[in-house]
């Protein structure tokens, strides 16, 4: 006898289903797009700065221009939330 453990639902199944319904993407493609976007926005500030610096440097920008551009981009950048303990989460909810 083999027992199969049902896979736990993906935390963003609703988003994947929405994308598959409202775009030409199939479910697998939609899941891949969601995973890519989540990975992109989960970068820490340090990871983002290093990655963008490399990208802009590869385009031939000087450090002066790169750092000015990063200073403009960072305030609009969404970064990963820090890990929070159960106690910290409780304090957010209950003060």
């Amino acid at each position: 006898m083999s027992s199969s453990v049902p896979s736990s639902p993906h935390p963003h199944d609703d988003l994947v289903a929405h994308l598959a319904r409202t775009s030409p993407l199939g479910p697998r493609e939609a899941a891949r797009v969601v995973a890519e976007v989540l990975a992109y926005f989960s970068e820490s500030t340090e990871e983002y700065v290093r990655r963008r610096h490399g990208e802009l440097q590869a385009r031939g920008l000087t450090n002066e221009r790169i750092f000015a551009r990063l200073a403009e981009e960072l305030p609009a950048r969404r970064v990963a939330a820090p890990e929070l303990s159960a106690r910290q989460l409780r304090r957010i909810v209950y003060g």
Side-chain angles (χ1 to χ4, degrees), residues 61-75:
L61 274 67
T62 63
N63 275 342
E64 184 178 341
R65 291 187 63 200
I66 290 171
F67 295 138
R69 185 149 174 193
L70 287 171
E72 292 173 4
E73 292 177 0
L74 280 172

Side-chain angles (χ1 to χ4, degrees), residues 20-85:
R21 242 189 350 267
T22 61
S23 74
L25 298 175
R28 283 188 176 167
E29 294 167 312
R32 191 178 73 241
V33 167
V34 169
E36 293 273 341
V37 170
L38 290 173
Y40 179 83
F41 284 116
S42 69
E43 282 182 313
S44 69
T45 300
E46 292 81 9
E47 291 167 331
Y48 175 77
V49 167
R50 287 185 195 108
R51 179 180 59 78
R52 282 296 286 154
H53 181 272
E55 290 172 355
L56 296 171
Q57 194 173 45
R59 292 185 194 169
L61 274 67
T62 63
N63 275 342
E64 184 178 341
R65 291 187 63 200
I66 290 171
F67 295 138
R69 185 149 174 193
L70 287 171
E72 292 173 4
E73 292 177 0
L74 280 172
R77 175 81 181 153
R78 294 182 185 263
V79 295
E83 279 192 43
L84 300 172
S85 69

